[in-house]
Amino acid sequence: MLARPEQLLLALIAEAAIGYPAGMFGAIGHPVTWIGAGIASLERRWNHGGPARRRAMGVLLVLIVAGGAAAIGWLVETWAGEGAAVLVVVAITTTGLAQRSLDDHVRAVARPLLAGDPGGARAAVAMIVGRDTAALDEQRLAVAAIESLAESFCDGVVAPAFWFLVAGLPGLLLCKAVNTADSMIGHRDARYLHFGWAAARTDDGVNFLPARLSGLLVCIAGMGGWRIMLRDARHHASPNGGWPEAAMAGVLQRRLGGPVTYDGEPAHRAWLGDGLAPGAEDVQRSLWVYRRACLLLWLMVGGVAWRL
């Protein structure tokens, strides 16, 4: 029998080594795409009317999507029991982790930046950020890549791992459902301000502890960054995103944040960190910090498994 921490450690190592197991799940798609399809369908049907109605229907959407994901996780765990079928749980758990894919996507930005190809870097960074990228120069491309790496370390690695440890596969799938809902509807524009309120607030709660753990791991992996993290994390628009991003800014001794545009509309953001803006080599440095932070997470989970 594999205990929960052992299942998680096996899933972390397997996902880092091979990424998404497309051979097993490719024919039916990634679980996040199922969750996203359900959210999109409910949003089209329910996101209308006055503010109170929109907010109430947004709450209902989160309850249905997150509750449904957790229920599916519980059914799979119950079916798997304690025999060899528990490896199915491990395989599904790998789909909720993004160590390998995140590394791949940020390396795809670093390579053209290092080669002096900003056009290639813009195309790659547009795959991982929501901000406008057409006018970004090398420094702003590096900022976008490093911020996405740091924030996604929490959302795509630490948070799902944390909730798997707490509540098994139901916890991990609930975490992914909430995160997907926030990314799709948790915006402050006219369409989603009220309907996406519950998704955004729930995501804040789900990521509260993982975000701070992420910042801690980044600082330990980078052997520094503590002062900047503690000083600047609270200046971020998100109650959680600032922790890993400020930690990474401190470790690299570079300045992140600053103004961006979304769909042509400027967004004023606080600066995180001191020093110069990052460049291509700093994207590569951030990847090494990220990899060491992932290894620290493995060691932490392994320690929990050993203690149990």
Side-chain angles (χ1 to χ4, degrees):
M1 175 183 175
L2 290 174
R4 186 180 293 166
E6 294 169 328
Q7 295 173 31
L8 176 58
L9 183 59
L10 184 58
L12 284 165
I13 295 172
E15 192 275 331
I18 63 175
Y20 172 59
M24 181 177 295
F25 298 104
I28 56 177
H30 196 286
V32 169
T33 65
W34 314 338
I35 295 169
I39 292 168
S41 177
L42 293 176
E43 191 272 336
R44 287 193 299 270
R45 289 170 170 80
W46 292 353
N47 188 13
H48 59 82
R53 183 190 186 280
R54 288 176 186 248
R55 182 168 292 198
M57 298 310 290
V59 170
L60 182 59
L61 181 147
V62 171
L63 290 173
I64 290 174
V65 172
I72 291 171
W74 178 81
L75 288 172
V76 172
E77 279 198 340
T78 301
W79 166 80
E82 299 179 359
V86 76
L87 293 178
V88 175
V89 173
V90 173
I92 295 174
T93 300
T94 66
T95 70
L97 301 166
Q99 298 167 107
R100 179 66 176 266
S101 62
L102 182 55
D103 194 281
D104 289 345
H105 278 95
V106 177
R107 278 192 296 114
V109 180
R111 282 195 300 266
L113 273 182
L114 289 167
D117 177 17
R122 287 190 195 98
V125 87
M127 301 292 291
I128 57 175
V129 300
R131 70 194 68 178
D132 298 338
T133 60
L136 297 182
D137 60 14
E138 177 184 324
Q139 292 181 334
R140 300 311 297 174
L141 287 166
V143 167
I146 294 169
E147 288 179 349
S148 181
L149 178 66
E151 184 175 14
S152 296
F153 176 54
C154 173
D155 294 345
V157 182
V158 177
F162 175 86
W163 286 108
F164 185 90
L165 274 182
V166 170
L169 190 59
L172 179 140
L173 292 181
L174 182 147
C175 172
K176 299 305 295 184
V178 169
N179 183 253
T180 304
D182 178 61
S183 67
M184 292 180 65
I185 64 173
H187 311 300
R188 297 181 179 180
D189 57 20
R191 178 172 179 174
Y192 297 118
L193 178 62
H194 301 291
F195 187 74
W197 173 85
R201 298 291 77 77
T202 306
D203 187 69
D204 289 344
V206 165
N207 283 310
F208 184 86
L209 291 176
R212 285 143 184 85
L213 176 58
S214 299
L216 175 69
L217 291 170
V218 168
C219 288
I220 296 173
M223 296 181 290
W226 304 96
R227 181 181 66 85
I228 297 299
M229 180 181 71
L230 294 173
R231 186 192 74 184
D232 291 350
R234 60 190 175 89
H235 299 311
H236 197 282
S238 163
N240 297 322
W243 290 88
E245 289 186 29
M248 187 67 80
V251 165
L252 299 177
Q253 298 182 12
R254 293 292 184 265
R255 189 168 68 164
L256 303 178
V260 295
T261 61
Y262 295 93
D263 299 322
E265 294 294 326
H268 301 286
R269 306 183 310 157
W271 294 101
L272 305 175
D274 299 323
L276 302 173
E281 292 183 357
D282 297 306
V283 179
Q284 192 64 46
R285 289 172 59 208
S286 71
L287 277 166
W288 282 110
V289 173
Y290 163 74
R291 291 162 186 162
R292 292 194 296 269
C294 287
L295 179 59
L296 285 171
L297 179 63
W298 296 9
L299 294 174
M300 184 179 295
V301 174
V304 174
W306 178 75
R307 292 289 296 177
L308 295 178

